[in-house]
Amino acid sequence: MSVVDFDMNCELKSAFFENAYSPFVILNRDMNFVDVNQASVDTIGIKKENFIGKNLLDIFPHLEGTERYDAYRNVIETGEPVGFDELSFKGEFAEYTFMSRAFKIGDYLGITTLDVTNTIDTIQKLKSTQASLTEVNNDLKKKNQELEEFSYVAAHDIRAPLTNLKGLLRMASDSETSTDELGPIVEKMEVVTKVMCDKITALNMVIATKSNFGSPKKELNFSDVFGEVKSVFSKEIIEGRTIIKEDYSSCPVIDYNHQQLETILQTLMSNALTYRHPKRKLSIKIETKMVKGKVQLSFRDNGLGFDQDLTMNVFALFKRMHTHKDGLGVGLYIVKTIINENNGSIDVKSQVNKGTEFIITF
């Protein structure tokens, strides 16, 4: 190689070194800086003359005793290059993320870097978007499953009385009996018609509740909302001499939709009054507290209760634990739907003839 070619190679290498977009430094065996390019100066914010002759640990003291520092020294000893991904560095004006590669240059150590800050940010945004899409997809799956269950139950429970009504109408039209003999058939038709109307009313209640999802929330006082509920049932409470104890001292307020919270408390209150034990005064205790950063409400009564093994059915649509009282079998289904929609949970503990406790974690 001629002297001219050698000089040109040196000039080219120097030009690439100095004009590279990413920081590039050269250190000697003592880990002192021999040279740095302009990108290093711009990124780290230290003048070139303040680099040269300084030790690596003078500029980056946090490297002392680290695996990366030992790896750099090992490159000088063995000549085996080493790379590091996603190294964080806080520069004078911004925080950067680099990929770094250290390699031997003669008797010196060269360290070149690649700024991947924007790439990492893009990846993080993509991951965040993917996580959001996964969450939306899971939510859609959950809602589709709920819709399928709702549609199946609705179709099944309305089809039965409708089929009965159709059969009774056929019996009435085919009958050649007197009007008196048709009376029982007509009475059954009235009963079946009422059942079907009740089912449709219940379904309308569910649809109305679901249509309210997404409504704004605000800070509510449990005492105020439950006060409104008690006023609705004031006649039943007074006539039954119901004992009600309330304790909101640990957690008096909650950020929730007013109508939804009122529906929850009203349903629990209605159930307690409806299924009270006939041989003792109804006693209700409602209490709130904070559990692991979440608001928890306990609603306990000393009513009829039910078999704990049947709790899996208590929140199902059109399921009722007691049939000696009129009811639509939809209240607790609506309560659970509201709580689930707000990412909460509801549990129930019950014993026959001893009472029931609902525990809601909002």
Side-chain angles (χ1 to χ4, degrees):
M1 179 183 293
S2 67
V3 174
V4 175
D5 290 336
F6 179 79
D7 290 341
M8 184 175 290
N9 281 338
C10 290
E11 288 179 11
L12 285 171
K13 290 176 182 177
S14 177
F16 278 120
F17 173 81
E18 190 61 38
N19 292 289
Y21 278 109
S22 295
F24 194 153
V25 301
I26 299 174
L27 301 99
N28 61 20
R29 298 184 68 86
D30 296 324
M31 304 299 282
N32 295 324
F33 285 96
V34 175
D35 201 357
V36 298
N37 68 351
Q38 187 59 40
S40 301
V41 173
D42 295 338
T43 300
I44 301 174
I46 299 177
K47 293 181 179 180
K48 190 168 185 175
E49 55 267 27
N50 294 332
F51 260 116
I52 308 304
K54 292 288 182 66
N55 191 269
L56 179 64
L57 295 179
D58 293 334
I59 307 298
F60 303 108
H62 65 278
L63 288 177
E64 187 171 8
T66 64
E67 181 182 341
R68 182 148 60 104
Y69 182 76
D70 293 338
Y72 287 159
R73 296 193 66 88
N74 190 60
V75 171
I76 294 180
E77 298 299 329
T78 65
E80 292 291 330
V82 66
F84 297 93
D85 295 333
E86 296 189 29
L87 300 175
S88 295
F89 172 73
K90 191 170 184 179
E92 186 178 12
F93 303 108
E95 189 167 344
Y96 302 92
T97 303
F98 287 103
M99 292 176 63
S100 172
R101 187 165 182 80
F103 49 91
K104 195 172 182 181
I105 310 174
D107 291 329
Y108 297 96
L109 174 69
I111 302 177
T112 183
T113 62
L114 177 64
D115 184 356
V116 293
T117 307
N118 292 334
T119 303
I120 296 298
D121 287 346
T122 301
I123 291 172
Q124 293 300 327
K125 287 176 182 177
L126 287 172
K127 286 181 179 179
S128 177
T129 301
Q130 185 179 21
S132 297
L133 289 173
T134 301
E135 184 178 348
V136 169
N137 189 44
N138 290 337
D139 189 51
L140 285 173
K141 285 181 179 179
K142 185 182 78 171
K143 291 198 179 326
N144 283 336
Q145 184 178 357
E146 290 177 356
L147 183 59
E148 287 177 7
E149 293 173 357
F150 178 76
S151 300
Y152 173 79
V153 173
H156 179 273
D157 280 69
I158 290 179
R159 184 172 64 245
L162 190 59
T163 302
N164 289 339
L165 183 60
K166 184 177 179 181
L168 290 168
L169 285 169
R170 186 182 300 112
M171 288 173 61
S173 62
D174 292 345
S175 177
E176 296 178 357
T177 57
S178 65
T179 303
D180 291 340
E181 292 175 327
L182 283 174
I185 296 177
V186 174
E187 288 178 5
K188 289 182 179 179
M189 289 171 62
E190 290 176 347
V191 172
V192 171
T193 302
K194 181 181 182 303
V195 170
M196 190 163 62
C197 288
D198 287 346
K199 298 287 186 184
I200 292 172
T201 299
L203 293 176
N204 284 335
M205 290 170 61
V206 174
I207 292 169
T209 299
K210 288 179 177 288
S211 67
N212 188 47
F213 290 157
S215 298
K217 300 178 180 180
K218 62 179 181 179
E219 187 176 84
L220 302 172
N221 277 284
F222 281 107
S223 180
D224 293 343
V225 179
F226 193 57
E228 296 170 12
V229 171
K230 286 189 293 185
S231 68
V232 173
F233 297 103
S234 58
K235 181 175 181 292
E236 293 89 340
I237 292 171
I238 293 171
E239 289 180 351
R241 299 168 66 190
T242 303
I243 301 169
I244 300 177
K245 297 180 181 179
E246 303 170 56
D247 183 2
Y248 310 112
S249 57
S250 296
C251 186
V253 299
I254 186 174
D255 192 41
Y256 220 72
N257 175 268
H258 184 279
Q259 183 178 339
Q260 291 175 7
L261 182 60
E262 187 177 28
T263 297
I264 291 170
L265 295 176
Q266 189 166 312
T267 300
L268 298 179
M269 188 69 181
S270 176
N271 280 1
L273 291 167
T274 301
Y275 303 115
R276 63 198 311 156
H277 199 285
K279 295 183 179 180
R280 57 174 173 257
K281 283 183 183 179
L282 174 62
S283 176
I284 295 172
K285 182 173 182 180
I286 179 171
E287 182 182 11
T288 60
K289 57 185 177 180
M290 293 295 292
V291 178
K292 296 181 179 179
K294 294 184 179 182
V295 179
Q296 190 175 91
L297 179 143
S298 167
F299 192 105
R300 185 166 69 249
D301 66 53
N302 65 340
L304 290 172
F306 54 84
D307 189 341
Q308 182 69 26
D309 293 338
L310 300 177
T311 54
M312 61 180 296
N313 295 323
V314 73
F315 300 108
L317 185 61
F318 298 138
K319 296 292 184 181
R320 299 171 59 205
M321 296 296 101
H322 303 282
T323 56
H324 67 285
K325 296 280 189 177
D326 289 337
L328 300 177
V330 71
L332 289 177
Y333 172 83
I334 289 176
V335 166
K336 186 171 178 62
T337 301
I338 291 173
I339 293 169
N340 286 349
E341 180 65 23
N342 288 279
N343 299 316
S345 63
I346 180 169
D347 296 307
V348 60
K349 301 175 183 177
S350 190
Q351 285 183 280
V352 177
N353 291 324
K354 289 190 176 181
T356 303
E357 180 183 17
F358 290 94
I359 302 170
I360 300 170
T361 304
F362 291 96

